């Protein structure tokens, strides 16, 4: 039997948890029996049931003798929830069809299923499954959030003019896509300079969207407490990440980080965010913060929008400014994985070649 179409449906179910599962994977599950689907479920959010349990809670008839199709190996550990494999066995499922193995070292679900006499098929649409959960697999491998940069630049590689004007380089269609992106990421990060010059809200303005954490990185304490991110804070998700030890009187949570090179130690910051279950960070910063993440080899992905304008100017800003490579052979290497058009703009989605999980 070919399980690809059922697996595709699991992916679609899994995607309903997009932006809500934090450091957990997106998982969809289906029970198939006597030629029809008798139940569907998915992992709705970080705190809610795993997909298999959600699916078992929505069955039209008993699952006994049926096939469970799920995009990730069912878990076998006690985390926030008891092991899914126990429930799969208790429900007398006959066969389990999986796309990806769970790289969480605590999980060894396939062995438990096989020991219970259940047939297990793995690797169905494996690459698509990996792409779907690229954040989760990176989290598991590096024990830190996936870090992506997003910026819009002109044809001549400028993200702002000599007078620091940067509104609006990309067009409306590109910006609508950015709102969708923000919904996919757990946190949006900017530096104090961007906060001062753009005063962004950093919210996701799409229907049913979840607002990401908003992180402001600063080594000084001269932030304007009336900036939008501190005002529009009903869900209390603005974080100031600083290496300063001074006190702030500001409407935000403060994360104190180690100091590196005179600023915030970014690796330490990512560790601290991961401890708070933040699995992905989108940097909408500017030249300095982009370069700081690049130099630390922490950039996993870039969304680069290119608008058909030319800014020119000796002092206009490019996306990365600061210390750079002396030789081309020392340049940081990425792979262009996707090229999309948004009206007159183009977007490259590029990934760090060393980060494949
Ligand atoms: C599954 N089905 O839908 C998900 C799984 O703390 P917990 O109990 O939520 O466990 C989280 C871990 O469980 C996570 O790191 C991953 O290994 C697995 N996620 N497993 O069987 C699911 N979301
Ligand atoms: Zn589970």
């Amino acid at each position: 039997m070919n399980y690809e179409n059922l697996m595709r449906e699991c992916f679609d179910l899994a995607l309903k948890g997009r932006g809500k599962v934090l450091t957990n994977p997106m998982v969809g599950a289906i029970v198939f029996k006597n030629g029809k689907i008798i139940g569907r479920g998915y992992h709705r959010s970080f705190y809610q049931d795993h997909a298999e349990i959600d699916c078992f809670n929505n069955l039209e008839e008993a699952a006994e003798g049926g096939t469970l199709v799920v995009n990730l190996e069912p878990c076998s550990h006690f985390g926030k929830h008891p092991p899914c494999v126990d429930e799969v066995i208790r429900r007398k499922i006959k066969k389990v069809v999986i796309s990806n193995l769970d790289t969480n070292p605590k999980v060894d679900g396939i062995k438990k299923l096989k020991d219970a006499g259940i047939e297990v098929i793995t690797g169905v649409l494996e690459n698509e499954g990996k792409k779907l959960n690229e954040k989760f697999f990176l989290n598991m491998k590096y024990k830190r959030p996936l870090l992506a940069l997003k910026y819009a630049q002109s044809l001549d590689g400028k993200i702002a003019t000599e007078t620091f004007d940067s509104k609006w380089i990309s067009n409306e269609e590109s910006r609508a896509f950015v709102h969708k992106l923000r919904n996919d990421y757990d946190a949006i990060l900017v530096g104090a300079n961007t906060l001062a010059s753009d005063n962004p809200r950093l919210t996701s303005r799409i229907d049913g969207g979840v607002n990401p954490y908003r992180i402001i990185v600063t080594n000084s304490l001269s932030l304007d407490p009336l900036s939008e991110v501190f005002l529009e804070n009903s869900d209390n998700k603005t974080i100031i990440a600083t290496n300063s030890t001074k006190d702030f009187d500001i409407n935000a949570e403060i994360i104190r980080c180690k100091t590196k090179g005179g600023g915030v130690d970014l690796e330490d910051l990512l560790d601290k965010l991961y401890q708070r279950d933040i699995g992905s960070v989108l940097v909408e910063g500017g030249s300095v913060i982009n370069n700081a993440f690049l130099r630390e080899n922490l950039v996993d992905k870039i969304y680069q929008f290119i608008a058909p304008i030319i800014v020119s100017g000796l002092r206009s800003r490019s996306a990365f400014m600061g210390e750079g490579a002396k030789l081309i052979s020392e340049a940081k290497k990425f792979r262009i994985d996707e090229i999309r058009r948004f009206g007159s703009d183009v977007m490259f989605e590029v990934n760090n070649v060393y980060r494949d999980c």
Side-chain angles (χ1 to χ4, degrees), residues 21-161:
V21 298
L22 299 174
T23 52
N24 274 0
M26 289 186 276
V27 185
I30 286 171
V31 176
F32 188 76
K33 188 175 159 183
N34 298 330
K36 67 179 175 111
I37 294 173
I38 60 160
R40 293 177 173 84
Y42 67 101
H43 185 44
R44 289 163 197 266
S45 80
F46 184 68
Y47 305 97
Q48 284 175 284
D49 283 338
H50 285 184
E52 298 87 327
I53 308 305
D54 188 58
C55 176
F56 291 144
N57 288 340
N58 290 305
L59 288 172
E60 287 165 16
E61 57 181 279
E64 184 171 353
T67 297
L68 172 72
V69 183
V70 56
N71 59 295
L72 193 76
E73 172 182 3
C75 71
S76 55
H77 71 300
F78 284 86
K80 291 184 287 303
H81 305 282
C84 288
V85 285
D86 291 354
E87 197 57 20
V88 174
I89 295 165
R90 197 182 73 77
R91 299 260 180 177
K92 299 194 169 67
I93 290 283
K94 209 170 105 194
K95 192 192 285 188
V96 176
V97 179
I98 298 165
S99 179
N100 301 119
L101 302 189
D102 190 339
T103 50
N104 181 345
K106 291 181 196 149
V107 172
D108 194 6
I110 290 177
K111 183 177 180 307
K112 277 205 165 178
L113 294 172
K114 285 187 174 164
D115 286 352
I118 297 172
E119 185 190 344
V120 181
I121 296 175
T122 58
V124 176
L125 298 178
E126 192 175 1
N127 291 336
E128 289 88 335
K130 273 195 179 162
K131 173 84 185 131
L132 174 79
N133 274 312
E134 62 177 343
K135 293 187 185 111
F136 170 73
F137 291 120
L138 184 133
N139 291 165
M140 283 298 131
K141 191 162 176 187
Y142 297 103
K143 303 287 171 233
R144 65 161 177 81
L146 180 146
L147 188 113
L149 309 181
K150 171 252 139 190
Y151 50 81
Q153 68 176 43
S154 62
L155 283 178
D156 56 331
K158 306 294 187 186
I159 62 163
T161 66

